[in-house]
Amino acid sequence: MPQMITRKPLEGERPWQQELAKAVTDPAVLLTMLEIDQTAFADGFAARKQFPMRVPQPFIDRMVKGDPNDPLLRQVLPLSDELITSNGYVSDPLGEHDTQAPGLMHKYQSRVLLILRGGCAVNCRYCFRRHFPYGDNSPSKQEWQQSFDYIAAHPEINEVLLSGGDPLMANDQQLDWLLTQLEQIPHLRRVRIHTRLPVVIPSRITDALVSRLASSRLKALMVLHINHANEIDNALQRAAQKLKQAGIWLLNQSVLLQQVNDSADALCELSERLFEADIQPYYLHLMDKVAQAEHFDLPLARVQALNKAMMQRLPGFLVPKFVREIAGQQSKTPIDLGFNPFIEQTDLDFFQQS
Ligand code: SF4
């Protein structure tokens, strides 16, 4: 019998922790649940030895049964494509494996990133940190002091990003402790939480978490990671409402992924659904060139065409910034559009006629 769940839920655990414990880790089990024939996928099951599979039930519930091309399934199912080694795709595409203190990265002038947790609720096959040495960056409470001292000694830092893994894998008490430490550093103004956990397990947005963020002297933002409109269900919308009503600003960043969201229809619908859920489209990232994930990448010309299509079909506030991250750069790099958005053919036609 294949292993079906990560572990048995423990007594006293919160609903989100129980969902986490029950996450499906076996691709054969996942495909059976979705009534999909395993034969065509069996060669890829070995890829989970390099990067385990992990998918919580609330995310599985949003997949379409019987559809092997479901865009949510494609993000989490190990495929034989991952066993291919490609030139130019590396284990550390962003040059992050050297940190300034255990779990601390100071990549951009006014922002510092803390790796709060190594694990995630879902393992996305395209993850740019799938090879990150989390074991070397899992500080104890005492070691965290080095990070707080670093931030305190750098007055140019005004914002702390909590990242991972997924920072919301930490429980509410641990987050409360961390926030309390950060609130004591006078030059900090904001705390930003980058997370996918509430997307795959919406019950992670507990009342205790919402009220702690709302009561912080640091302005709190949450950047969700949603790649496809089908990821937004009623439970996620309710969680987003709770945060919004408490004054937590909600943004979304997506990754552009082949056979997941690489069409103008999919991207425009994602923006529309985000807006209905009170989540602002923020960034659309070109995939970082991480080893074992080349099959998700797209040629630049296709990216430019998608950007143009979104600008034509949506109001500006629903078009995320198309960016890539380049190791060593002081900010994200906007992609070259390949066209002048201010001189469109329709405008030229108009000027020629008048
Ligand atoms: S949630 Fe984010 S950090 Fe975790 S596996 Fe997915 S992409 Fe990577």
Side-chain angles (χ1 to χ4, degrees):
M1 179 75 182
Q3 185 197 357
M4 178 148 177
I5 59 174
T6 311
R7 63 170 172 78
K8 282 193 173 154
L10 304 172
E11 208 175 309
E13 283 187 318
R14 307 295 307 266
W16 69 270
Q17 292 168 315
Q18 295 183 5
E19 291 290 0
L20 209 51
K22 291 187 295 181
V24 175
T25 58
D26 188 317
V29 171
L30 176 61
L31 292 171
T32 303
M33 291 167 79
L34 293 171
E35 299 169 8
I36 294 171
D37 182 8
Q38 299 169 25
T39 321
F41 295 98
D43 286 352
F45 291 178
R48 70 182 165 140
K49 290 195 184 120
Q50 299 168 344
F51 186 48
M53 192 191 89
R54 189 178 218 199
V55 199
Q57 186 67 49
F59 197 64
I60 298 170
D61 291 342
R62 289 168 241 169
M63 297 176 188
V64 177
K65 279 195 173 157
D67 182 3
N69 297 315
D70 180 88
L72 278 55
L73 174 65
R74 287 195 63 83
Q75 296 178 55
V76 298
L77 184 68
L79 296 177
S80 55
D81 294 320
E82 291 178 44
L83 304 171
I84 299 166
T85 305
S86 321
N87 287 336
Y89 290 79
V90 298
S91 63
D92 183 15
L94 303 185
E96 290 186 331
H97 291 197
D98 291 323
T99 52
Q100 281 77 18
L104 179 146
M105 286 182 219
H106 191 181
K107 293 203 280 191
Y108 304 144
Q109 191 177 31
S110 61
R111 288 89 80 200
V112 77
L113 187 145
L114 298 182
I115 301 278
L116 194 51
R117 274 291 181 282
C120 293
V122 63
N123 281 351
C124 313
R125 307 312 300 177
Y126 53 85
C127 180
F128 69 106
R129 291 201 183 122
R130 56 181 285 163
H131 306 284
F132 189 80
Y134 287 115
D136 301 339
N137 287 281
S138 305
S140 62
K141 264 193 178 178
Q142 286 72 27
E143 286 173 316
W144 273 119
Q145 192 56 49
Q146 288 182 48
S147 294
F148 304 141
D149 291 346
Y150 181 93
I151 299 168
H154 287 78
E156 74 276 19
I157 298 170
N158 61 19
E159 180 173 353
V160 169
L161 281 71
L162 304 185
S163 184
D166 198 309
L168 291 189
M169 292 286 275
N171 65 33
D172 292 343
Q173 290 76 20
Q174 291 162 334
L175 285 162
D176 174 44
W177 175 82
L178 183 78
L179 269 177
T180 304
Q181 310 306 310
L182 295 174
E183 284 162 350
Q184 291 166 28
I185 303 175
H187 50 264
L188 286 183
R189 304 172 86 153
R190 287 183 296 279
V191 63
R192 192 186 335 164
I193 300 175
H194 280 242
T195 178
R196 187 150 164 76
L197 212 163
V199 179
V200 296
I201 305 179
S203 59
R204 176 62 190 95
I205 302 304
T206 60
D207 292 343
L209 175 66
V210 174
S211 67
R212 181 64 184 89
L213 292 175
S215 65
S216 176
R217 78 152 188 89
L218 302 171
K219 179 76 182 159
L221 299 86
M222 195 172 283
V223 182
L224 297 168
H225 174 175
I226 303 169
N227 296 319
H228 194 278
N230 292 2
E231 295 175 40
I232 303 171
D233 67 355
N234 290 339
L236 176 55
Q237 264 183 279
R238 283 194 297 274
Q241 277 303 311
K242 264 186 173 172
L243 289 160
K244 191 183 172 225
Q245 282 163 9
I248 317 296
W249 202 25
L250 286 176
L251 302 169
N252 184 62
Q253 58 177 359
S254 313
V255 183
L256 190 52
L257 300 165
Q258 194 167 160
Q259 292 187 51
V260 172
N261 57 10
D262 59 332
S263 72
D265 285 349
L267 292 172
C268 291
E269 184 58 16
L270 172 60
S271 277
E272 295 283 4
R273 295 278 294 125
L274 287 168
F275 186 69
E276 284 161 10
D278 287 311
I279 306 166
Q280 177 69 43
Y282 177 37
Y283 278 139
L284 185 66
H285 286 264
L286 271 63
M287 207 201 76
D288 300 309
K289 296 199 178 297
V290 66
Q292 275 85 50
E294 184 188 359
H295 54 291
F296 285 111
D297 208 357
L298 287 168
L300 183 61
R302 176 109 187 95
V303 176
Q304 290 168 328
L306 289 169
N307 195 345
K308 186 173 184 177
M310 286 191 87
M311 291 173 78
Q312 287 172 340
R313 287 168 57 169
L314 294 174
F317 61 90
L318 289 187
V319 181
K321 291 179 199 162
F322 280 54
V323 293
R324 69 165 87 239
E325 198 164 341
I326 299 174
Q329 294 288 311
Q330 291 295 300
S331 66
K332 311 250 189 250
T333 304
I335 67 141
D336 172 13
L337 293 177
F339 63 95
N340 185 338
F342 303 108
I343 306 178
E344 286 296 274
Q345 191 57 44
T346 46
D347 298 332
L348 293 175
D349 292 346
F350 173 79
F351 286 124
Q352 278 159 10
Q353 286 160 16
S354 47

